[in-house]
Amino acid sequence: MKQLILVKYGEIILKGLNRPIFEDALVKNIKAALPKDFRGCVHRAQATIYVEPDDPSIIDEVLRRLSKVFGITYLTRAFVLPKDLEAIKTGAAEVLAPALKNAVSFKVEAKRADKKFPYTSPEISKEVGGYLHDCFPHLTVDVNTPAATVMVEVREQNAYVYCGREKGAGGMPVGSNSKATLLLSGGIDSPVAGYMTAKRGVRLNAVHFFSYPYTGERAKDKVMSLAKILAEYCPRLDVHIVPFTEAQLAIKKNCPHEQLTIIMRRIMMRIAEQVALNTNAKALVTGESIGQVASQTVEALAVTNEVVKMPVFRPVIGMDKEEIVTIARQIGTFETSILPYEDCCTIFTPKHPNTKPKLDRIVASEQHLEMEKLVADAVNGIEVITV
């Protein structure tokens, strides 16, 4: 019997006259997430997207991939049946037998999207439910907390039956809300910040600051591994590897030791903003959380923000570490983030950093740097890797 995947979306439905724009973006991202050897069709109708592979053996892999596509609320493997009540009853008993044999209770829910179908939704539920109970007499009916929920959808072309559904990634389709540049370190927080921003439909590229030889190739590989995990949620991710050694050595040589971190962050923001401008991104994204480290006090964040003009998004700003780690585990970045390869921030951290920097003092210290040259050299030396 023919099988396919039904994709359901939620927030998109509320978009009024702009809804087709979001639906088209979601369909595009679904197609991008499919295996390269996928054969079949993807189309949408009546607030549902149908993914129909020619080869049903790849449905599990397609479900796995689509579970990471933002904009999808639920998705499920469904069986295609004729729009005939008797065919729906017998077909449901046949294809759902593996799920129902192991259940102790069930209920049937029906949706009649085709109002020309001669039975109402309650009538369909009653008829199919009664038939399934006759076929599987061990089942009890439980309309509140059933072990198995059988869904019947009668639509324009066919009827579809399925049992259970998988939760999607939620959010909005990537690309439906402009573009931002993520400052991607090798830590736990920034990949989570990128994930949360992409979930709102923002397309990402990334900037990583690489201080060779103080940070080695394994640290760079670690960041690229994190980028590959994030790319499972984004159709494409360009990672800009910034040579940052010259800038950090200049700061260390010419600026007060306690100001190293905050001045380093300000140069990072300048470089990231230039990358954003060059790539048509409209905002920066960081993984900063208030009070987590010296550069993330309210005073330090204010001084950091002062150096750029575009918005800076900090999705984890009010989270504690445990909350951030929970999301990192959920999206699969945690185990990579805790690998023991240091990034450029930890290498040059002062013993006693200034936690309440004064803007005028920081600006005065920066006068000892060839700021424009340091930023330009870093931007000109960028290596772009696409994942």
Side-chain angles (χ1 to χ4, degrees), residues 257-368:
H257 199 254
E258 69 275 8
Q259 296 180 353
L260 295 185
T261 300
I262 191 67
I263 294 176
M264 179 185 70
R265 290 296 297 175
R266 282 166 60 89
I267 295 182
M268 285 180 168
M269 297 295 277
R270 287 182 172 98
I271 295 169
E273 184 177 50
Q274 189 59 56
V275 171
L277 292 170
N278 292 345
T279 58
N280 200 34
K282 306 302 182 184
L284 303 179
V285 182
T286 79
E288 291 161 313
S289 172
I290 291 178
Q292 189 173 124
V293 295
S295 64
Q296 295 175 21
T297 63
V298 171
E299 292 85 352
L301 292 174
V303 173
T304 300
N305 270 14
E306 188 273 339
V307 81
V308 294
K309 295 180 179 179
M310 62 174 49
V312 181
F313 299 153
R314 295 181 170 94
V316 303
I317 192 71
M319 293 185 180
D320 61 32
K321 201 65 175 185
E322 184 177 348
E323 292 171 314
I324 299 171
V325 166
T326 297
I327 299 175
R329 291 185 186 277
Q330 171 194 328
I331 66 178
T333 57
F334 179 75
E335 295 299 331
T336 301
S337 291
I338 62 175
L339 292 174
Y341 307 135
E342 294 188 332
D343 61 26
C344 65
C345 295
T346 56
I347 292 293
F348 288 88
T349 300
K351 289 184 178 180
H352 303 288
N354 189 346
T355 59
K356 295 184 178 181
K358 302 295 183 181
L359 179 59
D360 57 343
R361 296 178 184 176
I362 297 297
V363 171
S365 296
E366 289 180 345
Q367 300 305 311
H368 300 286

Side-chain angles (χ1 to χ4, degrees), residues 16-279:
L17 296 177
N18 291 325
R19 176 172 152 183
I21 298 173
F22 294 88
E23 291 175 325
D24 289 344
L26 180 55
V27 170
K28 180 180 178 180
N29 292 346
I30 286 172
K31 290 180 177 179
L34 295 173
K36 291 182 179 180
D37 58 352
F38 177 88
R39 297 291 181 272
C41 67
V42 178
H43 63 96
R44 61 180 171 87
Q46 297 177 301
T48 299
I49 297 173
Y50 302 78
V51 181
E52 304 182 35
D54 294 340
D55 179 6
S57 68
I58 70 168
I59 284 183
D60 286 341
E61 172 61 16
V62 173
L63 283 169
R64 186 192 70 79
R65 289 168 175 256
L66 296 189
S67 69
K68 298 182 178 182
V69 175
F70 290 127
I72 296 176
T73 305
Y74 295 103
L75 61 164
T76 187
R77 177 198 297 260
F79 297 87
V80 184
L81 299 174
K83 284 172 56 176
D84 173 82
L85 186 58
E86 292 303 315
I88 292 172
K89 289 158 60 175
T90 58
E94 176 186 348
V95 299
L96 301 181
L100 296 178
K101 284 180 179 178
N102 297 321
V104 295
S105 61
F106 84 116
K107 73 172 181 178
V108 177
E109 294 184 2
K111 283 186 178 180
R112 186 185 64 153
D114 180 4
K115 301 307 179 184
K116 296 179 181 179
F117 191 70
Y119 297 89
T120 65
S121 296
E123 289 172 339
I124 297 169
S125 297
K126 180 180 177 181
E127 289 291 328
V128 174
Y131 185 85
L132 292 177
H133 192 266
D134 291 340
C135 294
F136 306 96
H138 70 284
L139 291 172
T140 59
V141 177
D142 184 346
V143 297
N144 295 314
T145 56
T149 299
V150 174
M151 294 295 304
V152 180
E153 297 189 21
V154 179
R155 295 182 171 268
E156 291 183 355
Q157 300 299 324
N158 299 290
Y160 304 92
V161 297
Y162 53 93
C163 187
R165 59 186 184 178
E166 296 184 24
K167 197 174 187 305
M172 299 295 294
V174 171
S176 62
N177 279 314
S178 196
K179 183 179 182 180
T181 295
L182 169 68
L183 280 74
L184 180 63
S185 72
I188 297 171
D189 305 336
S190 60
V192 172
Y195 166 87
M196 294 177 68
T197 303
K199 187 172 183 177
R200 297 310 305 156
V202 178
R203 188 177 301 281
L204 296 177
N205 59 14
V207 173
H208 176 67
F209 295 89
F210 185 59
S211 295
Y212 184 83
Y214 300 98
T215 53
E217 288 298 321
R218 289 190 300 178
K220 179 179 174 182
D221 292 342
K222 171 185 174 180
V223 168
M224 293 312 303
S225 295
L226 290 171
K228 289 178 182 177
I229 297 171
L230 281 179
E232 294 182 5
Y233 299 92
C234 307
R236 171 192 172 110
L237 188 64
D238 292 334
V239 183
H240 296 72
I241 308 296
V242 178
F244 201 52
T245 309
E246 180 184 353
Q248 287 192 290
L249 291 176
I251 298 169
K252 185 176 181 180
K253 179 180 179 181
N254 296 288
C255 300
H257 199 254
E258 69 275 8
Q259 296 180 353
L260 295 185
T261 300
I262 191 67
I263 294 176
M264 179 185 70
R265 290 296 297 175
R266 282 166 60 89
I267 295 182
M268 285 180 168
M269 297 295 277
R270 287 182 172 98
I271 295 169
E273 184 177 50
Q274 189 59 56
V275 171
L277 292 170
N278 292 345
T279 58

